[in-house]
Amino acid sequence: MSQSNAYSATAEVGQLRERRSRWETIKLELRKAPISAWFGFIVIGCYLFVALFSPLLAPHGEAEIFKTPFAPWDAKHILGTDQIGRDVFSRLIYGATNTIGIALATTLLSFLIGGGLGLAAAITGGWLDQLLSRFVDVLMAIPSLIFALMLLTIFGSSIFSLICIIAVLDSTRVFRLTRSVAINVTVMDYVEAAKLRGEKLGWIMRREILPNIMPPLIAEFGLRFSFVFLTIAALSFLGLGIQPPTADWGSMVRDNASMIQFAKYDITAAMTPMIPAAAIALLTVAVNFVVDWFLHKTSGLNDEH
Amino acid sequence: MMSTDNNDTKNTGSADENGQKGDILLEMRDVHIDGFSDEKWHHIVKGVDLTLRRGEVMGLIGESGAGKSTLGLAAMGFAQPGCKIVSGTIKFDGMELTKASENEKRALWGSRIAYVAQSAAASFNPAHRLIDQTVESTVNSGIRSLEEAQADARTLYASLQLPDAENIGDRYPHQVSGGQLQRMMTAMAMSSRPDLIIFDEPTTALDVTTQVEVLVAMRDIVERFNTAAIYITHDLAVVAQMADFIKVLRYGNEVEEAETRQMLTAPKEEYTKSLWSVRALTKPEETSDDVVIEIKNVDAAYGGSVKVLHDINIKLPRGRTVAVVGESGSGKSTTARVITGLLPPMTGEVQFNGEVLPKALKDRSKDQLQRIQMIYQMADTAMNPRHTIAEIIGRPLEFYHDLSGKAKQDRILELLHLIELDQTFYDRIPSELSGGQKQRVCIARALAAEPDVIICDEVTSALDQIVQEGILQLLLRLQRELGISYLFITHDIATVQAISDEIVVMYQGAVVEQGLKSEIMSPPYPEYTQLLLKSVPEMDPDWLTNLVDDRL
Amino acid sequence: MHPILGTVLQRILLGVVTLFFVSLIIFSAIEFLPGDFTQAVLGQAATEETVAAFRKELGLDQPAPVRYMEWIQAVMSGDLGTSFSGRNASGIDRSRSVVDLIEPRLWNTLFLAAMAAIVAVPLALFLGITAALYRNSVYDRVVNASTLTTISFPEFFVAYILILFMSQLWFDFPAIASVNAETPFWERVYKCILPALTMTLVIVAHMMRMTRAAIINLLASPYIEMARLKGISKSQVILRHALPNAWAPIATVIAFNLAYLVVGVVVVEVVFVYPGIGQLMVNSVTTRDIPVVQACALIFAATYIILNLIADIIGIVTNPRLLHPR
């Protein structure tokens, strides 16, 4: 085969792709997503719907107490009542708002702190980077659940202190990730080119660095959310997180744990603590499935073949 | 098993007893190979034939994406992860490799077919001594006993000119230099006295002066044992030294195959001719007394301690090109960092149009920044992958010249035209461009600032030769039209010939000499310049032989 | 001196420095308590004298650095202070020393953790390595999906599922792991089966995924491809070429997960009412018994730091570049 065409710059074969809008690309990717990711999306969607409209969906009040504690499943109380006679189904629905809301707020705060500082450390480098990195090393040398327990002893268990404590502890991990991906970007020639052009730090951060570190940060947001969500659930389960009468899945498990011993006689009774625990598990599974797919997509790894 | 009958014939170390020189050793017919990327299967090799006889060396050349490495590995019956051999036949010494089982192929690899990889540093296992790795497959396949193989390895080390051949094998890979490792890998390939060795760009990562030693060593040993070889490279001058005949590939197809001398003197195809032409590009030298940048007595260090530049003095005349040449670690790129202000010098100064520039980047005015622009080696990393071409070229326009809206858009199109691209590139993103196109966009970005000086840091080194020529011609044309001065950093002497008026030779952080191209390129030379110039492979197939004769 | 010794010493020194800062943070916990916490500990009826005496006992009349020095000296000599509980307004002190509280429980916790680790570590390494070798096989996909699911479960969910089936519905294993110093070894093992199994499941999931990733990463190295191109058999590639370079990542995985085990024990101990240090800590947090919380935190943190230190040292001494310097 002869290649007698004369050289021309435009004719060089680049990796031409069909031109698609961002939305079209997303749609295309979604269509190719595996079942696990689809499952994850649907579950997350349902949870968010319940969390947003809990007062409309719940048949009874969050802390409304009925006469019979441990009532069996029936038409009035779909999932029965708990140890002091509150409707389990309603509390489950309200629990979505509280548990997800608090975990989401904590994760956002943690990204604000960790992401901001990580970016600052990566860009300025030098002593600020050293100081922050060493500080984070020390904080991370204490297991975060243990650290959280200690801080809760000091500051007490209010929702506010819970959010702050977990966010600060978790921000150490966000800091490390943000710093490392941002450093990978700051050494790129295009960042140097922007510096040579005389661009301000803010512009470089906003236009050159942020767009390039978003994919790993989005994935990390999913992972951090499920971690925070599990930590808060664990603390609530230990009786040190979200306090009654606020409905919350972790404490619902704790409060009704003893009902599991009736499993042989009435399996539905044993379900009272199992259902909120399963609700926690299902959401984390869903988030992990989506993150797994997203990481696979964005890392550019094709280890299928 | 094959290894047993190999045992007695192999010991003599000659391929002749295994078969006559001139017998067909490897025959590939209509080989198609596909690779998976971007969620799709692509054709990488599209029906190539290849015949190699015993004792022959075939050069396989082509640009990136030509499929030469994939074809080279296919000669072993191996497909890299993400690739598959779709159709065709690969016959090695009568054995059909496409149908052979993993075990059958494994029995060939390392004993009858050996492979020499590009990056020796990454391809040696850090956990084992070199000699153990050298003899591993020889001993495993029972060709020689451990003691014999080790003694033989030491002999091989000696014949490959490795220092301290008796003991160097006891070292670990990180304890020897890159050039030594590459020779070590040749020894490893040769240990079993294979019938065929695949050399996959074995000297690409080496400096020119090191490359010569490795080439000599590899050529001699292949000749001595009469081994057949496939030598894969993108460098024509290198392949001219190594190969008996050359096959040119492009986009997975064969363009042309011919005996080496014939290929060099009378290529048939247009494409092959164009590959040669970059070497033909030259520029008549001119000089000027009007100095735009002058580096005076500059010393610089990284981290305030490791001194990397010693008393540098360089003058860049207006509208001219000064090429800075030297090997890796010579301080060429550091010099560029000093000029741009990224690395403030410890002592000395940089003058621009007779004025002293502030040492640090942050102290320079927007005007000073605008007048000195930079183009990088890797166009890939020099452009934000998430910006469109219009955004990339448009930013300096709005930043330095306050252009916006229609005026900016018009100017972007004008610049695209200037770099020989059209408006269809306007809203593409860098990953949709080829290497040469990316580098052109980087040039346009530099031009958008309307600079006096452009520092070009190895701007053509990562590109294929034919694309290099296009970029160099563009740079020359822009210089003629716009009167821009270039400080052109490179390690490639052919590029220097093509573009420079003056040359600065650097070695270990110091300037060896500066002068007009014709002065530097002709005797008398300082010792280092001589070594550097002599080490650059030439298109003459006898160059390496003559060089070795000269040295003796 | 062999340079590797220097690197190891440097790393140990770094561990000590980290431990120092950690102890500083844990010590300063008491500083952040609200000013009237003494009142809360002793009760509202406490007289000024008893409060003053208590503050003096805590050394609150002295500057913080002096107190830190005294505290850390005491800690090093094995004295972790006295618990806040058991005090009252009358000044009668029935409090117990923290060491007495912690010691038996620490052994219980270590017993449980060891039991889980003995099963979990080899199992996880086996699953991880085989999943990496047979990447993308059905086996790999099943193992992957099930471990991804397991790590998404809160520990207490895993625990209650096990209780539901293993203790209530199908079998009759004890759901409450009540042991004391006199419990014979095998009875202890029997009682600990469910908590140990819970931790094993959680740990295996984490560890298997990390091992798989580490091995896959290793197998992508150019020298592994080179070994294959040298015609080395699959098993030899793994044993001779991959394994010698795998110690560092595997040690990191094991250390990370053992550390996780020690921490994960908190929730599991509470579920199974197991008298370990985790449960003690949770109780002390509820009663705001700072000296006990501090002691527990210090023990957990020290374990964590030491385990990571060991992993780092294994990484250093198996690194050929450091082992055979230029």
Side-chain angles (χ1 to χ4, degrees):
Chain A
M1 204 176 142
S2 83
Q3 305 275 347
S4 57
N5 48 342
Y7 175 77
S8 120
T10 25
E12 269 175 44
V13 181
Q15 299 220 310
L16 271 179
R17 267 183 230 130
E18 282 172 59
R19 309 219 56 78
R20 295 187 201 107
S21 72
R22 180 161 295 187
W23 176 234
E24 283 171 324
T25 318
I26 292 173
K27 270 200 295 194
L28 198 77
E29 290 296 348
L30 279 182
R31 212 172 302 144
K32 280 190 295 188
I35 299 176
S36 62
W38 268 109
F39 167 78
F41 277 119
I42 292 170
V43 169
I44 293 172
C46 294
Y47 271 70
L48 288 180
F49 178 78
V50 171
L52 286 174
F53 301 104
S54 53
L56 302 176
L57 297 170
H60 304 287
E62 182 176 0
E64 198 179 335
I65 298 174
F66 294 89
K67 269 181 246 115
T68 29
F70 298 124
W73 293 11
D74 59 24
K76 191 175 179 215
H77 302 291
I78 302 175
L79 297 176
T81 59
D82 68 4
Q83 83 282 14
I84 55 170
R86 291 171 298 192
D87 182 56
V88 172
F89 184 62
S90 303
R91 283 182 72 74
L92 206 57
I93 289 173
Y94 279 106
T97 317
N98 299 329
T99 318
I100 297 174
I102 289 170
L104 210 54
T106 310
T107 318
L108 284 172
L109 185 61
S110 136
F111 265 73
L112 213 62
I113 303 170
L117 290 179
L119 215 50
I123 292 170
T124 51
W127 63 269
L128 179 73
D129 182 22
Q130 282 299 316
L131 190 78
L132 284 172
S133 297
R134 293 295 82 76
F135 183 65
V136 162
D137 284 350
V138 172
L139 286 191
M140 285 180 83
I142 310 177
S144 60
L145 185 68
I146 301 303
F147 211 157
L149 285 176
M150 200 178 86
L151 293 177
L152 285 170
T153 323
I154 303 169
F155 297 107
S157 308
S158 69
I159 288 180
F160 176 74
S161 60
L162 192 68
I163 291 179
C164 292
I165 288 169
I166 308 282
V168 168
L169 293 181
D170 207 53
S171 67
T172 53
R173 280 155 218 278
V174 181
F175 170 86
R176 274 207 182 162
L177 182 88
T178 315
R179 179 180 171 276
S180 74
V181 292
I183 277 183
N184 283 339
V185 174
T186 49
V187 298
M188 287 290 173
D189 289 338
Y190 57 82
V191 175
E192 189 180 299
K195 280 187 198 156
L196 284 181
R197 204 184 303 138
E199 299 284 4
K200 299 271 177 305
L201 197 61
W203 193 91
I204 295 180
M205 221 188 252
R206 209 176 60 249
R207 299 279 301 153
E208 305 282 1
I209 296 177
L210 259 185
N212 287 298
I213 62 171
M214 278 325 275
L217 284 190
I218 291 173
E220 184 69 5
F221 189 87
L223 291 179
R224 299 290 13 122
F225 171 80
S226 41
F227 187 80
V228 164
F229 184 68
L230 286 179
T231 308
I232 291 179
L235 285 173
S236 299
F237 172 76
L238 297 174
L240 303 166
I242 301 164
Q243 299 296 318
T246 311
D248 151 79
W249 294 338
S251 26
M252 284 175 76
V253 179
R254 170 195 175 83
D255 293 345
N256 300 297
S258 57
M259 290 171 80
I260 213 162
Q261 56 193 314
F262 303 118
K264 271 186 193 147
Y265 316 104
D266 177 7
I267 190 74
T268 61
M271 284 301 115
T272 312
M274 295 306 272
I275 289 170
I280 296 168
L282 185 61
L283 180 60
T284 357
V285 170
V287 172
N288 272 323
F289 276 165
V290 172
V291 169
D292 207 46
W293 165 74
F294 184 80
L295 272 179
H296 196 80
K297 270 284 29 105
T298 53
S299 64
L301 285 177
N302 277 312
D303 57 6
E304 260 100 320
H305 306 278
Chain B
M1 268 305 286
M2 179 163 32
S3 50
T4 40
D5 53 56
N6 275 347
N7 223 351
D8 26 34
T9 55
K10 285 285 170 173
N11 275 341
T12 60
S14 158
D16 289 21
E17 293 179 32
N18 233 353
Q20 283 303 307
K21 178 163 183 167
D23 286 357
I24 289 179
L25 178 68
L26 175 73
E27 193 164 29
M28 299 168 85
R29 286 284 162 265
D30 199 27
V31 172
H32 289 260
I33 302 169
D34 284 3
F36 193 86
S37 64
D38 205 17
E39 308 280 317
K40 270 204 302 265
W41 286 97
H42 300 270
H43 303 302
I44 298 180
V45 176
K46 307 165 187 166
V48 174
D49 295 344
L50 185 152
T51 309
L52 187 68
R53 290 162 203 280
R54 286 185 186 277
E56 278 181 344
V57 179
M58 167 187 273
L60 211 51
I61 62 168
E63 302 167 39
S64 50
K68 49 190 192 304
S69 286
T70 313
L71 188 67
L73 284 168
M76 306 177 73
F78 182 81
Q80 275 171 312
C83 291
K84 62 179 183 197
I85 300 171
V86 186
S87 63
T89 59
I90 301 164
K91 250 198 186 110
F92 174 79
D93 202 17
M95 181 177 174
E96 179 53 52
L97 295 185
T98 50
K99 297 206 174 65
S101 71
E102 269 304 296
N103 278 334
E104 287 169 326
K105 283 189 278 189
R106 200 178 290 137
L108 288 182
W109 298 344
S111 61
R112 299 194 61 203
I113 312 178
Y115 179 76
V116 176
Q118 172 171 355
S119 167
S123 299
F124 272 108
N125 192 323
H128 297 295
R129 289 177 199 281
L130 288 164
I131 196 156
D132 296 338
Q133 301 191 52
T134 308
V135 303
E136 188 178 11
S137 31
T138 309
V139 174
N140 270 358
S141 50
I143 293 171
R144 258 180 273 273
S145 72
L146 181 65
E147 291 74 28
E148 280 173 342
Q150 287 193 345
D152 174 68
R154 292 192 192 96
T155 326
L156 284 174
Y157 295 158
S159 54
L160 283 161
Q161 314 283 316
L162 282 162
D164 192 16
E166 275 307 298
N167 302 313
I168 193 169
D170 295 335
R171 300 204 201 158
Y172 285 82
H174 62 276
Q175 293 172 320
V176 305
S177 74
Q180 289 169 353
L181 269 186
Q182 203 67 59
R183 274 178 278 172
M184 204 51 107
M185 188 169 279
T186 308
M188 180 160 85
M190 199 50 89
S191 168
S192 63
R193 300 293 183 279
D195 300 317
L196 171 65
I197 302 185
I198 318 279
F199 291 97
D200 193 355
E201 305 253 13
T203 61
T204 308
L206 304 175
D207 276 325
V208 272
T209 48
T210 321
Q211 171 173 279
V212 171
E213 295 162 22
V214 177
L215 286 179
V216 171
M218 287 193 307
R219 193 178 68 170
D220 288 355
I221 202 148
V222 167
E223 256 166 33
R224 170 165 345 153
F225 295 112
N226 211 351
T227 314
I230 295 179
Y231 196 100
I232 301 164
T233 180
H234 65 277
D235 190 331
L236 294 160
V238 165
V239 84
Q241 315 309 317
M242 307 300 287
D244 299 320
F245 62 106
I246 295 175
K247 186 193 276 297
V248 183
L249 294 181
R250 192 187 194 196
Y251 304 144
N253 291 305
E254 176 179 327
V255 176
E256 176 171 11
E257 182 184 315
E259 196 270 323
T260 302
R261 277 168 209 278
Q262 191 194 339
M263 177 74 94
L264 292 177
T265 48
K268 282 198 207 79
E269 299 292 329
E270 273 304 312
Y271 174 70
T272 321
K273 285 179 194 157
S274 70
L275 280 180
W276 271 232
S277 62
V278 64
R279 304 264 162 181
L281 192 70
T282 50
K283 178 194 185 207
E285 67 185 23
E286 289 172 282
T287 188
S288 162
D289 292 334
D290 183 7
V291 174
V292 57
I293 283 188
E294 181 166 10
I295 304 170
K296 277 189 175 168
N297 308 325
V298 161
D299 280 14
Y302 282 115
S305 53
V306 192
K307 205 168 160 196
V308 283
L309 292 183
H310 313 275
D311 195 25
I312 299 291
N313 288 288
I314 294 173
K315 280 184 189 167
L316 174 58
R318 191 178 305 281
R320 302 286 172 259
T321 305
V322 171
V324 181
V325 290
E327 297 179 82
S328 50
S330 61
K332 337 184 269 297
S333 292
T334 312
T335 309
R337 293 176 70 82
V338 169
I339 299 173
T340 55
L342 283 169
L343 181 70
M346 291 160 79
T347 55
E349 60 188 35
V350 178
Q351 287 185 358
F352 182 74
N353 286 335
E355 281 173 43
V356 176
L357 280 176
K359 284 184 176 177
L361 181 65
K362 61 179 188 327
D363 303 324
R364 297 192 182 174
S365 70
K366 213 170 174 178
D367 179 60
Q368 286 167 329
L369 293 174
Q370 176 221 321
R371 282 154 175 272
I372 304 177
Q373 290 293 311
M374 178 135 178
I375 311 175
Y376 295 85
Q377 173 175 7
M378 306 301 282
D380 273 320
T381 58
M383 291 188 287
N384 191 326
R386 294 188 182 261
H387 291 178
T388 64
I389 303 307
E391 285 175 299
I392 290 165
I393 302 179
R395 182 59 192 171
L397 294 175
E398 57 185 53
F399 188 78
Y400 293 127
H401 306 297
D402 290 324
L403 290 185
S404 60
K406 183 83 170 65
K408 185 171 97 177
Q409 194 184 335
D410 288 347
R411 180 71 181 136
I412 293 172
L413 292 175
E414 204 178 306
L415 284 163
L416 278 175
H417 180 70
L418 201 60
I419 55 164
E420 295 152 18
L421 298 178
D422 56 37
Q423 72 277 5
T424 58
F425 287 83
Y426 191 85
D427 58 356
R428 289 201 198 162
I429 54 170
S431 61
E432 298 173 328
L433 271 55
S434 73
Q437 288 166 347
K438 284 180 202 163
Q439 198 56 284
R440 281 167 190 266
V441 173
C442 288
I443 294 173
R445 175 173 64 184
L447 289 179
E450 294 172 21
D452 294 358
V453 175
I454 298 182
I455 300 172
C456 304
D457 190 356
E458 302 268 15
V459 291
T460 56
S461 325
L463 301 173
D464 292 318
Q465 289 189 355
I466 191 162
V467 183
Q468 281 188 19
E469 190 202 355
I471 298 282
L472 292 177
Q473 277 177 343
L474 172 68
L475 287 171
L476 287 173
R477 202 193 81 216
L478 293 170
Q479 184 167 54
R480 278 196 307 273
E481 289 173 9
L482 305 169
I484 303 168
S485 322
Y486 298 128
L487 189 76
F488 203 95
I489 294 167
T490 183
H491 67 274
D492 182 20
I493 303 293
T495 311
V496 173
Q497 282 283 13
I499 198 160
S500 67
D501 295 296
E502 293 189 17
I503 297 177
V504 175
V505 181
M506 290 190 71
Y507 181 60
Q508 294 188 346
V511 171
V512 178
E513 56 176 338
Q514 167 162 22
L516 284 172
K517 175 162 64 181
S518 54
E519 291 167 11
I520 303 283
M521 294 295 222
S522 54
Y525 306 110
E527 194 183 345
Y528 177 71
T529 313
Q530 166 139 16
L531 177 67
L532 189 65
L533 291 178
K534 289 263 166 153
S535 302
V536 179
E538 289 166 18
M539 288 297 230
D540 171 13
D542 299 322
W543 167 79
L544 192 61
T545 318
N546 296 339
L547 184 71
V548 175
D549 294 346
D550 280 358
R551 284 192 184 172
L552 288 176
Chain C
M1 188 173 73
H2 197 284
I4 213 160
L5 203 62
T7 320
V8 169
L9 285 177
Q10 209 178 359
R11 190 62 199 79
I12 291 176
L13 193 71
L14 194 69
V16 172
V17 171
T18 313
L19 209 50
F20 166 73
F21 279 106
V22 165
S23 73
L24 214 57
I25 291 176
I26 290 173
F27 167 77
S28 52
I30 209 161
E31 301 294 313
F32 290 104
L33 280 182
D36 58 349
F37 81 96
T38 44
Q39 205 86 50
V41 170
L42 298 175
Q44 287 305 317
T47 58
E48 258 175 52
E49 291 85 74
T50 41
V51 170
F54 183 45
R55 291 185 71 86
K56 193 169 168 60
E57 185 202 321
L58 292 176
L60 288 178
D61 50 343
Q62 285 173 354
V66 176
R67 259 183 299 134
Y68 175 75
M69 288 314 294
E70 284 174 1
W71 179 74
I72 199 78
Q73 269 171 9
V75 167
M76 298 238 233
S77 60
D79 175 13
L80 292 165
T82 10
S83 163
F84 278 0
S85 63
R87 320 227 179 206
N88 60 38
S90 58
I92 299 168
D93 189 355
R94 288 196 196 85
S95 62
R96 298 171 58 191
S97 95
V98 176
V99 174
D100 289 348
L101 276 173
I102 283 183
E103 207 194 340
R105 287 163 169 270
L106 182 59
W107 289 121
N108 287 344
T109 295
L110 288 179
F111 179 80
L112 183 57
M115 216 173 127
I118 286 170
V119 183
V121 173
L123 184 64
L125 289 181
F126 175 77
L127 287 177
I129 292 172
T130 46
L133 290 184
Y134 302 101
R135 188 147 54 121
N136 297 317
S137 64
V138 178
Y139 169 73
D140 180 32
R141 281 165 204 269
V142 169
V143 171
N144 226 338
S146 50
T147 51
L148 185 62
T149 312
T150 315
I151 59 169
S152 311
F153 283 12
E155 282 111 340
F156 54 81
F157 187 44
V158 179
Y160 283 127
I161 292 178
L162 285 179
I163 291 183
L164 185 63
F165 290 105
M166 304 290 282
S167 161
Q168 304 295 328
L169 295 178
W170 297 346
F171 303 101
D172 200 21
F173 288 106
I176 290 179
S178 55
V179 295
N180 56 41
E182 276 80 50
T183 316
F185 179 77
W186 286 111
E187 190 186 332
R188 198 178 263 262
V189 170
Y190 176 69
K191 284 186 166 171
C192 287
I193 279 181
L194 288 188
L197 194 57
T198 308
M199 295 206 295
T200 306
L201 284 177
V202 176
I203 275 302
V204 163
H206 270 112
M207 214 165 144
M208 175 265 152
R209 290 176 73 81
M210 290 169 72
T211 312
R212 179 180 179 273
I215 298 290
I216 285 178
N217 189 21
L218 192 70
L219 291 182
S221 327
Y223 57 78
I224 298 295
E225 182 171 307
M226 188 66 210
R228 294 188 56 203
L229 287 173
K230 278 164 76 179
I232 313 245
S233 68
K234 217 167 187 168
S235 58
Q236 282 295 304
V237 169
I238 300 294
L239 290 177
R240 252 186 74 78
H241 289 269
L243 201 59
N245 297 292
W247 295 121
I250 288 180
T252 312
V253 173
I254 295 179
F256 180 89
N257 285 283
L258 288 183
Y260 186 91
L261 199 63
V262 170
V263 178
V265 103
V266 174
V267 171
V268 176
E269 281 179 3
V270 171
V271 173
F272 291 95
V273 205
Y274 183 75
I277 184 172
Q279 205 200 24
L280 175 69
M281 183 165 184
V282 171
N283 290 339
S284 309
V285 172
T286 321
T287 57
R288 297 188 120 181
D289 191 346
I290 283 286
V292 180
V293 173
Q294 281 179 319
C296 293
L298 201 59
I299 290 171
F300 280 124
T303 319
Y304 202 76
I305 293 171
I306 290 169
L307 283 171
N308 283 314
L309 183 65
I310 293 173
D312 276 358
I313 291 175
I314 291 176
I316 293 169
V317 298
T318 57
N319 183 341
R321 284 162 211 278
L322 294 171
L323 213 52
H324 314 285
R326 272 168 191 271

